[in-house]
Amino acid sequence: MKKTIAIVIAILSFVFLSLKVSTPGDSSIGVDDALRNFGVGVDDFVIANERLYEAVEGLNADSASIVSARNALKDCRRSYKRIAFFTSYFFPSETRFYNGAPKFEVEEPTLELVEPMGLQQIEALLFEDDVLAGKSDLLVQSEAMLTSARDMHSLLFGIKINDAQILESVRIELIRITTLYISGYDAPMLKTGITETLEATNALQNALKPYFEANPDHSKSLALLISNSQNYLKTHQDFDSFNRMEFLTQFALPMQRELGAFVSRLDLVINTTSHLNYEAPHIYSKNALKSWDDHEGDSVQKMALVDLGRTLFFDKSLSGDAFTSCATCHQPGNYFADQLQKSPSLVRDSVLRRNTPTLMYAGWQHSQFWDGRVANLEDQIHNVFLNPLEMNGNAEALSGNVLQKDKYKKLINASFPRKSVQELGIDEASEALAAFIKQLGPMDSPFDQYIAGDQTALTDRQVNGFNLFMGKAQCGTCHFPPFFNSLLPPLFDISEVEVLGVTATDDFEKPELDTDLGRFDLYKMRYYKGAFKTPTVRNSAKTAPYMHNGSFQSLAKVMDFYNKGGGRSLALEVEEQTLSSKPLNLSEPETEDIILFLESLTDSKPENQNFPN
């Protein structure tokens, strides 16, 4: 492993020594300050890594040495957060080395393994039951960190940056703060998320200072928000009791809104991301992300495509038995699920392999099906349509009989103006159905109303439930806002899978590991055994039963499973479990509050929408 890390460092050093970032723009209000601040931050980071290495080297049988090493790691992490916004934006590969997830990651489609390394891996090792047993690994990790930190100044060789890039890096870091840092995503055991949020906010203030000084009339409200946010963070340091809802609604989200307006006034808006929509006020806004795989055409054509998909969704003649439609299992009245553990298949007296999930917010994922085996909704629809157990559809019948029905002619002409009806088939039907499914994300729940400013939309217990969800319970470290699914902030370009050790039933007194191997069936990598996509918990109060196998009958059972620490905590053999097996120690009232929060994520009833009979 030591050799592997050394090779990685050598490759990264070679790449970054020759790196040049260049984008249009001649302004240079804050470039010199940003480079200077980064240099100072790197020096501090080197010192913090030296102290961390010394603390790891001094680990012994005395528990005080472990406490000392953990404190050194806390200092190192805080030091890193002072330069994280800059490093993450301009040197993303290096960032992955310093602060990557503490688990083996599979690079697809090459299936290359990326070893766990960096600050998060050091944290995981320092919280093992037998820390001394992993001392050699800790020394390797901390030495690699120190060596690379000492070489960080070389990253600036030949680099060209401008103000627009600096401001975008600040913008993206604010999204990290509101979605990841306050949840403790990258320091779940140290629970330093709030102190790290303060360090990150201080760094953003330093980065913005020259812009504020050059534009005092336009910066007053943003500067005041940042200052007030710093004061709030200084006086509310405890991770478990931190009021995330208050912080978000009073400081963090308004900061996002004001920063966007400020950058626009300076005419320095650039968007190098694929999915972020900078016209949205903040990341919890309904239009915060740009729809991917969007179809070309004007708004009238897109609306017609959605209407065509809506009609096809309820058309039973799409199926081989002429008795089954998409809505048979994905029922609007049940929030596009069916409340069954597993839906009946078209083969008599049999059921489908996995639970039917809701289609609401399905369009906000980068993979589909529980095992993520297809990349988009169109491919999923193809798969379901042709599957003999689900729709058993016939592509020729679809184009010859279904799409040529009189009721489709107007919609088809508006949806596909350049094609004749004879040219239409499964591709066009899938495109229309996908367009319909993609708009099944209203974001009009009481939670959304509260975020939008209606302080009466949530009860105090629901607010506390959100704070617990995003904090002590660590739910937000996998169910990422704003969709509370596997879509990873801040760029939302990855949908993660997790290994939880889900049981065959919700009888935790006599637990049995579910035999479904999940993503392992697609890629024979042991890190994928039992790996499944993290679904949205929006509308989860209406879409029981839960998990890929429908084995958990209530949200109370789901919470009990997570509170215990997943399958491994139940003495099941789940070697690559990504969920921490350490109990959360949530009290019964805390668990109840989280469930109340989940209920607040319930949108208005889908059956109230305009659906065909």
Side-chain angles (χ1 to χ4, degrees):
M1 181 176 176
K2 185 173 182 178
K3 181 178 179 182
T4 302
I5 293 177
I7 292 172
V8 170
I9 293 173
I11 293 172
L12 289 174
S13 298
F14 173 80
V15 171
F16 292 129
L17 279 170
S18 59
L19 176 66
K20 289 190 178 183
V21 179
S22 179
T23 62
D26 298 324
S27 59
S28 56
I29 301 171
V31 170
D32 290 343
D33 284 72
L35 294 174
R36 189 183 306 113
N37 290 338
F38 179 71
V40 172
V42 168
D43 291 339
D44 291 342
F45 189 49
V46 170
I47 293 171
N49 271 284
E50 289 173 344
R51 291 172 178 167
L52 176 60
Y53 182 80
E54 291 173 2
V56 169
E57 199 173 31
L59 285 170
N60 54 57
D62 186 352
S63 60
S65 69
I66 298 176
V67 173
S68 177
R70 290 174 179 174
N71 286 334
L73 177 60
K74 289 179 182 179
D75 291 340
C76 198
R77 287 197 57 82
R78 285 195 293 267
S79 176
Y80 177 69
K81 287 298 170 76
R82 295 169 201 152
I83 57 175
F85 81 96
F86 191 95
T87 308
S88 299
Y89 186 86
F90 293 105
F91 315 116
S93 296
E94 187 79 354
T95 297
R96 184 173 181 175
F97 169 75
Y98 286 120
N99 201 32
K103 62 181 181 180
F104 279 90
E105 295 188 343
V106 182
E107 290 284 356
E108 296 180 14
T110 61
L111 300 186
E112 294 181 22
L113 280 178
V114 178
E115 294 185 29
M117 59 184 76
L119 296 172
Q120 292 191 56
Q121 177 64 3
I122 292 173
E123 180 196 43
L125 292 170
L126 281 176
F127 280 84
E128 289 284 356
D129 292 333
D130 187 354
V131 174
L132 289 182
K135 182 175 179 178
S136 60
D137 286 341
L138 277 164
L139 284 169
V140 169
Q141 291 284 342
S142 55
E143 182 182 14
M145 285 284 297
L146 177 56
T147 301
S148 188
R150 286 171 172 166
D151 197 40
M152 284 184 79
H153 282 291
S154 66
L155 300 181
L156 298 179
F157 178 78
I159 193 172
K160 295 179 181 179
I161 67 176
N162 59 46
D163 290 317
Q165 292 172 308
I166 293 170
L167 291 171
E168 186 179 32
S169 71
V170 170
R171 198 168 204 157
I172 294 172
E173 183 75 348
L174 267 179
I175 296 174
R176 286 192 193 89
I177 286 173
T178 58
T179 57
L180 297 179
Y181 291 178
I182 62 172
S183 75
Y185 169 74
D186 49 357
M189 288 167 282
L190 287 172
K191 293 194 172 185
T192 51
I194 308 308
T195 57
E196 291 179 24
T197 295
L198 176 59
E199 295 292 352
T201 304
N202 293 341
L204 298 190
Q205 184 189 51
N206 288 335
L208 291 170
K209 184 178 179 180
Y211 303 96
F212 290 169
E213 292 175 347
N215 301 273
D217 293 336
H218 297 317
S219 61
K220 290 180 182 178
S221 57
L222 177 56
L224 181 61
L225 273 170
I226 293 176
S227 178
N228 290 341
S229 175
Q230 290 169 312
N231 291 333
Y232 186 87
L233 291 165
K234 288 174 185 175
T235 55
H236 299 80
Q237 293 274 295
D238 182 66
F239 182 83
D240 285 349
S241 65
F242 186 72
N243 192 330
R244 289 157 178 83
M245 182 67 84
E246 185 173 64
F247 175 71
L248 285 175
T249 56
Q250 294 191 19
F251 305 109
L253 300 185
M255 275 196 291
Q256 278 192 267
R257 182 176 59 248
E258 288 297 326
L259 177 62
F262 179 66
V263 176
S264 295
R265 290 191 198 103
L266 299 185
D267 195 24
L268 288 172
V269 177
I270 61 169
N271 191 344
T272 63
T273 74
S274 298
H275 307 304
L276 293 177
N277 175 23
Y278 291 155
E279 294 182 4
H282 53 70
I283 200 59
Y284 282 85
S285 304
K286 185 175 181 178
N287 61 336
L289 300 186
K290 296 181 289 188
S291 179
W292 44 87
D293 297 327
D294 213 354
H295 302 281
E296 295 182 359
D298 57 31
S299 58
V300 174
Q301 183 178 346
K302 289 179 181 179
M303 289 177 61
L305 192 67
V306 169
D307 288 340
L308 175 60
R310 178 186 289 107
T311 310
L312 287 170
F313 191 84
F314 293 87
D315 193 333
K316 295 180 180 180
S317 64
L318 267 66
S319 65
D321 66 356
F323 289 101
T324 305
S325 71
C326 303
T328 301
C329 295
H330 297 285
Q331 302 161 2
N334 289 316
Y335 286 79
F336 291 91
D338 62 4
Q339 297 187 333
L340 300 175
Q341 181 173 353
K342 295 177 181 178
S343 303
S345 81
L346 294 189
V347 176
R348 188 173 180 179
D349 298 326
S350 70
V351 296
L352 298 179
R353 184 182 180 189
R354 293 171 182 151
N355 174 260
T356 299
T358 177
L359 290 182
M360 297 190 75
Y361 303 96
W364 298 108
Q365 290 277 21
H366 290 297
S367 61
Q368 301 297 332
F369 291 112
W370 279 103
D371 54 15
R373 64 182 179 270
V374 300
N376 54 56
L377 285 169
E378 285 85 348
D379 287 347
Q380 181 185 39
I381 293 162
H382 271 244
N383 190 299
V384 170
F385 178 74
L386 298 175
N387 190 325
L389 300 179
E390 296 188 69
M391 295 289 287
N392 195 29
N394 183 290
E396 292 183 4
L398 174 68
S399 57
N401 299 325
V402 179
L403 293 178
Q404 294 191 34
K405 290 180 179 179
D406 288 340
K407 68 177 180 179
Y408 289 128
K409 287 182 180 178
K410 184 177 180 180
L411 289 174
I412 285 174
N413 289 335
S415 302
F416 304 101
R418 296 179 183 86
K419 293 183 180 181
S420 67
V421 174
Q422 288 72 27
E423 294 178 280
L424 303 181
I426 188 172
D427 290 341
E428 288 73 23
S430 297
E431 187 177 342
L433 284 163
F436 167 63
I437 293 170
K438 286 176 184 176
Q439 52 83 50
L440 296 178
M443 292 184 73
D444 64 358
S445 69
F447 170 80
D448 298 300
Q449 296 168 29
Y450 189 96
I451 289 290
D454 182 358
Q455 298 296 299
T456 66
L458 298 182
T459 66
D460 289 345
R461 293 194 68 181
Q462 287 173 322
V463 170
N464 187 50
F466 170 78
N467 290 330
L468 289 163
F469 182 96
M470 290 293 291
K472 180 180 178 181
Q474 300 181 2
C475 311
T477 61
C478 290
H479 294 277
F480 307 113
F483 301 114
F484 299 105
N485 62 6
S486 65
L487 203 56
L488 180 63
L491 301 182
F492 300 95
D493 53 353
I494 297 172
S495 288
E496 292 194 335
V497 295
E498 303 290 344
V499 179
L500 307 178
V502 174
T503 50
T505 71
D506 57 12
D507 181 359
F508 303 141
E509 298 298 320
K510 300 176 182 178
E512 295 182 12
L513 187 65
D514 186 75
T515 58
D516 192 335
L517 296 180
R519 198 163 177 77
F520 181 80
D521 288 340
L522 306 174
Y523 303 105
K524 304 300 182 183
M525 310 284 289
R526 66 187 179 95
Y527 307 101
Y528 277 159
K529 281 188 177 180
F532 295 93
K533 190 174 66 174
T534 303
T536 181
V537 293
R538 284 181 174 272
N539 300 301
S540 58
K542 301 293 185 181
T543 54
Y546 307 102
M547 302 303 186
H548 67 275
N549 56 0
S551 61
F552 296 179
Q553 298 303 309
S554 66
L555 287 172
K557 282 293 186 179
V558 173
M559 288 304 307
D560 189 21
F561 177 76
Y562 282 112
N563 200 18
K564 293 179 186 302
R568 189 185 294 173
S569 70
L570 298 172
L572 300 176
E573 293 186 13
V574 192
E575 184 179 355
E576 303 301 333
Q577 181 170 308
T578 56
L579 173 70
S580 173
S581 59
K582 297 183 183 298
L584 295 172
N585 297 315
L586 296 170
S587 67
E588 186 173 338
E590 288 175 329
T591 299
E592 291 172 352
D593 284 359
I594 294 173
I595 293 174
L596 288 171
F597 160 65
L598 294 176
E599 291 174 354
S600 81
L601 289 173
T602 303
D603 290 307
S604 57
K605 291 184 178 180
E607 65 261 33
N608 292 340
Q609 301 179 31
N610 182 27
F611 294 126
N613 294 324

